[in-house]
Amino acid sequence: MPANPPPPAEEPASPDQPPPDVEPESVEVEDEIADEFRDAVGEGAERLHRGWRSLLATGFFGGLEIGLGILAYLAVRTATGSELLAGLAFGIGLVALLLAHSELFTEDFLIPVMAVFAKRGTVTDLLRLWGVTFVTNLAGGWVSMYMITSAFPEFGPLLTEIAQHFVEAPLDLRAVALSLLGGLVITVLTRMHQGTDSDGVRVFASMIAGFLLAGLGLFHSVLDSFFIFGAIQAEGHVSYLAWVQWLWYVIPLNLLGGLVFVTAMRMLRASEMDEAPGPSKNDGEPSRRP
């Protein structure tokens, strides 16, 4: 009897094809996440290494642009009495910030941190970005509120009411939660901006974030400082000392809300990627991705 013919040799899998035990949809999602990671690292590295002139300008103008959102908030709340509608109007400031490519202190809790994680910058670079952006945001906000209170003195009582909501709040569980949520919302906003190429979607996300931050009275170290500045300038019933006594705990809690609940989770996911720094994630196995 003739010998049985040998079984045909298996053709090697194409490098462009996923392994047979991996769903194509999963590979597509992984590739999208990897692309987002590379984009975030590239943008974060650019922010970390901006020159002093650019850094000062983007931070200062960021404060001015947020002032437009506060002006819209005050106008809508005065006309309607609705904090929720006014919060939606406040999103105008975040849209202006987005389209003008300016800097906001707590907006830097995700993308520049990802660049440091990928070794495209140092912790010193990150602290420089945070420090300069924080100070210049406040300077721009102070100037914008001075113009607003000078042009619309009728907003004075409302500004005082809003400011007292912040500076008179006791440091309790509610204040801690409001501050954590403030950091979380603004960092999730950055994450949503990074996850789409559509300017329309980014604008919509900015409006939603404004609604949550201002409409629900969340504590945000920079944005809410502008309301307090306006109250000080308009009627003087709130002091800079009261502002500092409120600010000292809101900043670290905003940091905690953004870095722990959003950025750390993003870094944990990114650590599984081949692009991430550190030892191979495959224990010496070659990467399955082309």
Side-chain angles (χ1 to χ4, degrees):
M1 293 179 63
N4 292 331
E10 294 185 3
E11 295 185 3
S14 169
D16 296 329
Q17 297 295 325
D21 58 336
V22 177
E23 293 289 339
E25 294 81 2
S26 299
V27 174
E28 183 178 350
V29 170
E30 291 293 317
D31 288 342
E32 289 178 358
I33 293 174
D35 289 341
E36 289 178 19
F37 174 72
R38 285 189 290 267
D39 291 343
V41 168
E43 182 180 342
E46 186 275 328
R47 289 189 182 185
L48 288 173
H49 298 296
R50 280 177 178 168
W52 283 99
R53 184 184 305 174
S54 176
L55 196 55
L56 291 169
T58 54
F60 183 80
F61 283 110
L64 290 178
E65 288 150 9
I66 291 297
L68 299 177
I70 291 180
L71 179 59
Y73 177 96
L74 295 171
V76 171
R77 185 163 169 184
T78 298
T80 66
S82 171
E83 294 182 44
L84 296 180
L85 287 177
L88 193 59
F90 177 81
I92 292 172
L94 296 177
V95 171
L97 190 79
L98 166 71
L99 299 181
H101 301 286
S102 299
E103 290 283 356
L104 180 64
F105 170 57
T106 48
E107 200 182 24
D108 292 325
F109 289 172
L110 175 63
I111 293 177
V113 175
M114 296 294 288
V116 173
F117 169 74
K119 302 186 185 303
R120 294 284 299 278
T122 65
V123 173
T124 301
D125 295 329
L126 181 63
L127 294 177
R128 167 181 170 267
L129 174 65
W130 281 354
V132 173
T133 302
F134 178 70
V135 172
T136 52
N137 278 172
L138 292 180
W142 193 95
V143 171
S144 67
M145 294 311 301
Y146 182 80
M147 291 188 289
I148 289 172
T149 54
S150 298
F152 302 96
E154 63 271 23
F155 291 154
L158 177 57
L159 281 167
T160 298
E161 177 187 340
I162 296 169
Q164 288 173 343
H165 163 72
F166 301 117
V167 300
E168 294 181 0
L171 179 50
D172 55 12
L173 179 60
R174 180 173 183 269
V176 170
L178 287 171
S179 301
L180 290 173
L181 286 169
L184 185 151
V185 166
I186 202 72
T187 311
V188 168
L189 171 62
T190 307
R191 175 70 184 87
M192 290 191 290
H193 285 170
Q194 195 65 29
T196 179
D197 294 326
S198 169
D199 286 339
V201 174
R202 289 172 175 167
V203 167
F204 179 75
S206 296
M207 298 298 292
I208 294 302
F211 170 80
L212 294 173
L213 286 164
L216 300 180
L218 303 183
F219 286 6
H220 187 281
S221 54
V222 172
L223 306 180
D224 298 333
S225 291
F226 297 177
F227 287 108
I228 299 172
F229 290 164
I232 294 171
Q233 295 163 356
E235 295 189 334
H237 298 322
V238 178
S239 68
Y240 286 106
L241 177 60
W243 167 62
V244 172
Q245 291 173 336
W246 170 82
L247 189 67
W248 76 265
Y249 71 84
V250 175
I251 292 177
L253 289 172
N254 281 168
L255 276 163
L256 190 64
L259 293 177
V260 173
F261 295 108
V262 182
T263 306
M265 299 298 103
R266 185 71 177 134
M267 289 170 62
L268 181 64
R269 182 67 185 87
S271 66
E272 301 176 355
M273 299 177 184
D274 298 329
E275 294 85 350
S280 171
K281 310 303 183 294
N282 298 315
D283 298 323
E285 296 287 334
S287 172
R288 293 182 173 179
R289 248 196 275 135

